[in-house]
Amino acid sequence: MASTSETGHAINFENFEDLIQVNTGFDMGYNPSNALITIEAMTIKFNATDTIIEVVSIAKAPFTDATNVRQKVFEAMKRLTTRVVNAFKTQEETTDRQYKDAMTIVHKIRGERAGKINPEDPNTISVSQQSYDNQYNHFRDFINYIKSHSFYAPNETALQSAALTAYLASMRVVNKAVTTAAVPLNKALKERDKIMYAKKTGLVDVAIESKDYVKSAFEGGSKSAEYALVKGINFKNFR
């Protein structure tokens, strides 16, 4: 399901086109002195928004794929951590203190939750990335602690040091892939937000100013037939 903000961006965009069409229908009755809300300027703003929305959509596809792959790889981490720490505990040479130190790191792994990603919001993308980075770093600390004890030698292949090293490497690869894919997406999102939500010059503020102009330009003001045509074309700021 699309997020509220994602739906809101699309509604703002579509409603802006409707507003331009209604204003165009007023012919010479729509003749603002404010250069930002002329039909020509609004059309340019609409086209710029259309372009950046397409750029966002293109950048979102590889980011979504990368996050899905990462989630699948990271899902195995906590179960594997439990198996490894239990295997470490059952080694004959493991002391109570060593097991306790290992569990200290395990608690960090279990307590760190991956941030939920809203691909429409650069801030939540950043927060989510930080939480995945933390998970990776905690697990790396855990594996390195376990591997530092030469007596750790379980028979199960998946729990052996070589397998753990390979899994840790795969975590790094998929996490890096998300970071890489987030760069163009974040850039596009910030540009979209600037075009649509910048104070005074953004699409939404321009639309609101245009509606206010219609209310002032025609006899009857807020009760005029002309204003009735634009009154219900709503916009929401996401800034």
Side-chain angles (χ1 to χ4, degrees):
M1 180 180 293
S3 67
T4 301
S5 59
E6 183 178 359
T7 304
H9 300 315
I11 291 174
N12 284 336
F13 175 65
E14 297 298 335
N15 284 356
F16 194 72
E17 183 177 29
D18 292 344
L19 182 61
I20 292 173
Q21 291 176 346
V22 172
N23 288 344
T24 301
F26 294 144
D27 296 323
M28 292 305 297
Y30 186 87
N31 187 31
S33 59
N34 183 344
L36 289 174
I37 61 173
T38 63
I39 297 298
E40 293 76 15
M42 292 178 69
T43 300
I44 291 172
K45 178 65 67 176
F46 173 81
N47 290 335
T49 306
D50 188 26
T51 297
I52 195 60
I53 287 176
E54 178 69 9
V55 172
V56 168
S57 179
I58 291 171
K60 194 188 301 180
F63 176 78
T64 299
D65 286 344
T67 56
N68 288 340
V69 171
R70 178 176 67 179
Q71 183 177 357
K72 184 175 181 180
V73 170
F74 271 66
E75 278 177 353
M77 180 184 61
K78 291 185 179 180
R79 293 192 300 273
L80 180 59
T81 299
T82 299
R83 293 183 65 194
V84 171
V85 79
N86 286 337
F88 181 68
K89 181 182 181 181
T90 61
Q91 301 297 301
E92 184 178 353
E93 297 90 341
T94 302
T95 66
D96 290 343
R97 182 69 218 184
Q98 289 168 338
Y99 174 68
K100 183 177 180 180
D101 288 343
M103 283 303 301
T104 296
I105 308 175
V106 170
H107 289 318
K108 291 180 181 179
I109 294 171
R110 291 174 177 171
E112 187 69 41
R113 299 180 62 186
K116 195 170 184 180
I117 299 179
N118 174 6
E120 290 292 314
D121 187 343
N123 293 322
T124 59
I125 290 175
S126 177
V127 169
S128 174
Q129 186 59 48
Q130 290 173 10
S131 63
Y132 273 100
D133 287 344
N134 287 340
Q135 286 189 77
Y136 169 79
N137 287 325
H138 291 327
F139 189 74
R140 179 175 60 183
D141 290 345
F142 173 67
I143 294 305
N144 286 335
Y145 180 77
I146 296 297
K147 288 166 57 179
S148 71
H149 298 86
S150 58
F151 59 77
Y152 177 75
N155 291 327
E156 294 75 21
T157 302
L159 305 182
Q160 293 171 1
S161 294
L164 298 178
T165 298
Y167 176 64
L168 185 66
S170 72
M171 292 174 69
R172 181 175 178 81
V173 168
V174 297
N175 198 35
K176 180 65 175 177
V178 174
T179 303
T180 300
V183 172
L185 178 57
N186 276 326
K187 182 178 179 181
L189 288 170
K190 289 176 181 178
E191 182 62 19
R192 181 207 60 195
D193 289 350
K194 177 181 177 182
I195 291 173
M196 295 188 73
Y197 305 113
K199 193 169 180 62
K200 291 192 176 182
T201 61
L203 177 145
V204 169
D205 279 9
V206 167
I208 293 171
E209 187 71 18
S210 172
K211 290 175 63 176
D212 286 343
Y213 167 74
V214 171
K215 183 164 57 176
S216 69
F218 294 96
E219 186 175 352
S222 62
K223 298 186 181 301
S224 67
E226 290 81 3
Y227 182 66
L229 294 175
V230 301
K231 181 180 180 180
I233 305 177
N234 297 316
F235 298 89
K236 183 176 180 179
N237 251 314
F238 293 97
R239 63 167 180 245

